[in-house]
């Protein structure tokens, strides 16, 4: 992500994303911000008309799983972070989404983290624009008023639940040290 970004603004994008997070951000979200574009370098394509990063979210999912596995993160944390990396562009299509698709996203316990990741990603550009996320947040708030607890997932293909016993309980200083190690690891292998 450091060497190539879709806008040509690779240097500093992830750092700006991280800087936009609140001090008390969950470790899962911080790791998702660090890894969200890690699949861009291996998916780089220079077509005649523009630079593309086809499948960078799926490649990023795989790289995230490998890196967090090697760093011995709990499986629930790894699953949640990889899901966020794979899903981080889903809200780009929000205006065209059918109501049932929106409700499926809203019903996932990780959706607030996905929304926070999308906002951090938007803030990582030189001219941040988070206006497109305002209707998403408003619709999600309305959804929560109608369905206060997310509905039970289907029996097959159910997403992994967000772990309450994850590394999110770490203190801010410890999280910063872990993130610095992860960033160093990612930059070494990207």
């Amino acid at each position: 992500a450091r060497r190539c970004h879709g806008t040509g603004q690779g240097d500093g994008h992830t750092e700006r994303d991280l800087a936009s997070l609140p001090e008390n951000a969950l470790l899962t979200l911080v790791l998702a911000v660090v890894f969200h574009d890690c699949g861009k370098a291996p998916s780089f394509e220079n077509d005649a008309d523009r630079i593309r990063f086809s499948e960078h979210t799926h490649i990023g999912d795989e790289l995230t799983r490998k890196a967090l596995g090697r760093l011995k993160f709990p499986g629930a944390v790894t699953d949640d972070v990889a899901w966020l990396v794979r899903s981080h562009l889903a809200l780009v299509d929000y205006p065209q989404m059918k109501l049932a698709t929106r409700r499926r996203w809203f019903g996932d316990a990780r959706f607030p983290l996905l929304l926070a990741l999308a906002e951090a990603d938007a803030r990582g550009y030189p001219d941040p624009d988070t206006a497109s996320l305002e209707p998403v947040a408003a619709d999600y708030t309305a959804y929560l008023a109608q369905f206060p607890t997310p509905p039970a997932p289907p029996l097959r293909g159910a997403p992994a639940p967000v772990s309450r016993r994850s590394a999110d309980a770490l203190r801010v200083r410890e999280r910063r040290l872990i993130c610095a190690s992860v960033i160093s690891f990612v930059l070494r292998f990207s």
Side-chain angles (χ1 to χ4, degrees):
R2 184 181 248 303
R3 287 179 282 178
C4 58
H5 201 272
T7 61
Q9 300 294 327
D11 288 335
H13 172 75
T14 300
E15 290 85 352
R16 287 189 299 272
D17 290 350
L18 286 168
S20 75
L21 294 176
E23 272 291 308
N24 63 347
L26 295 176
L27 179 62
T28 302
L29 176 60
V30 174
L31 290 170
V33 167
V34 169
F35 284 101
H36 78 281
D37 281 338
C38 71
K40 282 198 169 184
S43 66
F44 177 83
E45 297 173 12
N46 193 357
D47 290 346
D49 58 337
R50 67 181 206 168
I51 293 174
R52 298 178 192 276
F53 301 99
S54 301
E55 302 298 319
H56 93 272
T57 57
H58 295 287
I59 293 169
D61 174 323
E62 293 172 20
L63 293 173
T64 299
R65 287 181 185 283
K66 285 180 186 175
L68 295 181
R70 289 173 74 183
L71 293 168
K72 306 291 187 216
F73 275 88
V77 173
T78 300
D79 290 343
D80 290 345
V81 174
W83 180 86
L84 289 165
V85 169
R86 183 179 62 252
S87 306
H88 82 272
L89 294 180
L91 299 180
V92 170
D93 297 325
Y94 186 79
Q96 293 80 33
M97 277 184 197
K98 295 178 181 177
L99 181 60
T101 304
R102 291 178 182 188
R103 285 186 173 172
R104 183 175 49 82
W105 283 106
F106 292 163
D108 192 297
R110 299 167 291 192
F111 185 79
L113 292 173
L114 180 62
L115 187 56
L117 174 58
E119 184 175 333
D121 193 20
R123 292 184 189 281
Y125 292 96
D127 296 318
D129 180 16
T130 58
S132 64
L133 296 172
E134 291 170 9
V136 180
D139 289 350
Y140 182 60
T141 301
Y143 172 86
L144 289 177
Q146 187 176 2
F147 305 102
T149 55
L155 293 177
R156 298 175 68 132
V162 175
S163 171
R164 299 233 182 248
R165 297 179 346 188
S166 68
D168 288 332
L170 294 174
R171 287 176 275 146
V172 171
R173 194 176 96 188
E174 291 168 325
R175 287 189 299 214
R176 285 185 179 155
L177 290 172
I178 290 171
C179 288
S181 299
V182 169
I183 290 169
S184 172
F185 177 85
V186 169
L187 293 177
R188 223 177 308 141
F189 294 101
S190 65

